[in-house]
Amino acid sequence: MTELIPAPRGATAGSGEVRLTRDSRLYADTATEGVGRWLSAALRQATGLPLREGRALDDAEGGIGLQLAPGLGPEEYRLVSDDSGVRVEGGSAAGVFWGAQTLRQLLGPDAYRRAPLGRDRAWTVPYLTIEDAPRFRWRGLMLDVARHFMPKDGVLRYLDLMAAHKLNVFHFHLTDDQGWRIEIKRHPRLTEIGSWRARTKTGHRASPLWEDKPHGGYYTQDDIREIVAYAAERHITVVPEIDVPGHSQAAIAAYPELGNTDVLAASVEGGAALSVWDTWGINPNVLAPTDNTLRFYEGVFEEVLELFPSEFVHVGGDECPKDQWRRSETAQARIRELGLADEDELQSWFIKHFDAWLSARGRRLIGWDEILEGGLAEGAAVSSWRGYAGGIAAARAGHDVVMCPEQQVYLDHRQDPGPEEPVPIGWVRTLEDVYRFEPVPPELTPEEARHVLGTQANLWTEVMEDHARVDYQAFPRLAAFAEVAWSALPAPAERDFAGFQRRMAAHYRRLDALGVAYRPPTGPLPWQRRPGVTGRPIDGPPPNR
């Protein structure tokens, strides 16, 4: 009971245990039948027990019952294990699903396997009562598939890993300078050209190493539909990100007219067309502020909205250098036409256009905290990544905020200062550092703090070439982050990290059963290291602002 991650709000132990057998049944009422299908499939493959369907709650005596309970919050659940079996009640199907995830943990690490181990064993749940609910409604993970493409099966696997940790928002970073990963039928060159690059920088952009082979891939619209449906079955919302107006070289490579053509030719050697970018960093090639660009991306977003039913659509808005706009007569003419003060206001105009466009279609825009520069449209939300300051400013201005400060929860940053850490990037963020992260800044008043929708960990994949590298950077820190996002923890300095480490000893066995290539507490295994690959370590503690 004490080994659960994330920690529940309250748990009371009883005396005895429920034993699941070949005669045990699983009952789900009409509202929870989707959860029942998921749980029965997961447990059948791991245990080999048939877990036949119960036709009434009484049929599940000695087994498992799933049902809604009036009075519980939308994601709240109650799990009771006693002499009548295991009952999971929730205020909605989502609450029941999170309770089912807790039940899976209680059954032991082998409950996470994809086939029985072929030996007789008892599948037991101790008598107890757990009452639990999340602290935040937005418990997110951002996965960047633009820098290094992750095939569809890998994305589905990460949705399962999110669900196992009670995370419920998957921020899907689909486009960037290095690749365009989503099929747009009216603009086929976005994937024909924009989804592939000729080679890839190995390590940080200062590294002399290259992987001299093409890299790329994209998701068809049916792939996206499958991913969104798979996530919905696990009560995870998928929030797509389509970057504008910066981080757009892959799109410009496919459709050069999207770029600042009156200055671009002079900046590319020999006047050649841009290609999909093969290195990392902040790219100077940004979208032109023209009507053609607006119409093009409206067409992109029309297809995106058909695929993603999420309330929020992420438009990026970060790291948009203004040099080309300063030199572009077309951009300067647009500034004069609109009566804008400068290029910052031009970016604000660009973002506000899509805010109004999305609002007219019942959606909400969210972007990185640079969208605050030049003024932010009413109703837009902010992902605060450059520390806490952007989130504080946005909340004080009445905007909703997702806290994801780079200094705290960018999981591409290194986990240890040791020389064996693979491709060391950024500040050291240990498991304990992430466990002591606090999403709500103390500077906010209670009224302002209500604008903090929640928090999100980010996985940028410049130096993560495959799923094993993503696993290494994500885990075990994502387990600590999940507890921060879900559980009502004390103030950071008062958190029981020793207790969390004790629970992690059991959780590592769950991750082993799931095949997660996490960083061991003792340091990287030999095949997890990347000797000789240049990183970008930053010394000292990260700024807490």
Side-chain angles (χ1 to χ4, degrees), residues 144-385:
D144 165 29
V145 296
R147 272 51 177 269
H148 277 99
F149 178 66
M150 180 177 285
K152 181 191 67 180
D153 284 354
V155 175
L156 301 179
R157 174 177 176 268
Y158 257 83
L159 291 170
D160 281 329
L161 291 172
M162 287 179 64
H165 293 83
K166 298 185 174 72
L167 299 173
N168 71 338
V169 177
F170 179 55
H171 176 169
F172 205 8
H173 183 80
L174 289 163
T175 73
D176 216 295
D177 299 303
Q178 296 86 1
W180 184 283
R181 306 295 180 213
I182 178 173
E183 177 187 26
I184 301 297
K185 292 185 181 295
R186 73 189 69 186
H187 301 306
R189 293 208 304 273
L190 286 171
T191 46
E192 291 171 359
I193 296 173
S195 69
W196 295 91
R197 58 179 180 262
R199 62 175 187 168
T200 300
K201 173 68 71 172
T202 299
H204 183 253
R205 60 181 174 272
S207 167
L209 304 176
W210 294 89
E211 184 179 43
D212 285 308
K213 68 177 184 180
H215 175 86
Y218 67 92
Y219 310 102
T220 67
Q221 294 201 353
D222 281 345
D223 290 337
I224 294 292
R225 292 185 181 98
E226 180 182 355
I227 288 167
V228 170
Y230 195 86
E233 289 175 348
R234 288 147 183 78
H235 299 275
I236 295 170
T237 299
V238 183
V239 175
E241 179 175 351
I242 305 295
D243 262 303
V244 296
H247 287 289
S248 297
Q249 182 160 319
I252 298 169
Y255 292 92
E257 65 271 22
L258 297 174
N260 295 279
T261 54
D262 54 347
V263 297
L264 190 57
S267 65
V268 179
E269 186 176 349
L274 288 175
S275 59
V276 177
W277 212 26
D278 55 14
T279 189
W280 321 121
I282 299 175
N283 190 303
N285 297 302
V286 303
L287 297 175
T290 63
D291 289 342
N292 174 67
T293 300
L294 297 182
R295 300 293 89 76
F296 182 98
Y297 273 88
E298 286 171 0
V300 169
F301 281 117
E302 282 179 7
E303 296 192 27
V304 167
L305 296 192
E306 291 174 358
L307 296 168
F308 296 93
S310 55
E311 174 187 3
F312 288 96
V313 174
H314 208 292
V315 301
D318 63 315
E319 297 180 329
C320 178
K322 311 298 192 301
D323 292 346
Q324 287 187 347
W325 288 351
R326 292 187 185 97
R327 294 185 287 114
S328 165
E329 179 51 39
T330 300
Q332 293 302 311
R334 171 107 323 168
I335 289 173
R336 292 191 296 271
E337 172 196 340
L338 297 170
L340 304 177
D342 55 22
E343 291 76 19
D344 284 344
E345 287 195 5
L346 183 61
Q347 177 169 343
S348 178
W349 163 82
F350 204 106
I351 297 297
K352 286 178 179 178
H353 173 88
F354 286 104
D355 178 74
W357 190 91
L358 289 166
S359 295
R361 288 153 182 82
R363 306 299 185 94
R364 292 182 66 187
L365 179 145
I366 186 168
W368 303 109
D369 54 55
E370 286 95 329
I371 68 174
L372 289 163
E373 298 166 4
L376 183 57
E378 184 179 356
V382 170
S383 299
S384 186
W385 78 274

Side-chain angles (χ1 to χ4, degrees), residues 26 35-46 51 113-114:
L26 190 153
V35 181
R37 284 193 300 270
W38 173 84
L39 182 60
S40 62
L43 295 187
R44 281 174 187 157
Q45 71 176 8
L51 288 175
R113 297 191 180 275
R114 296 187 182 182

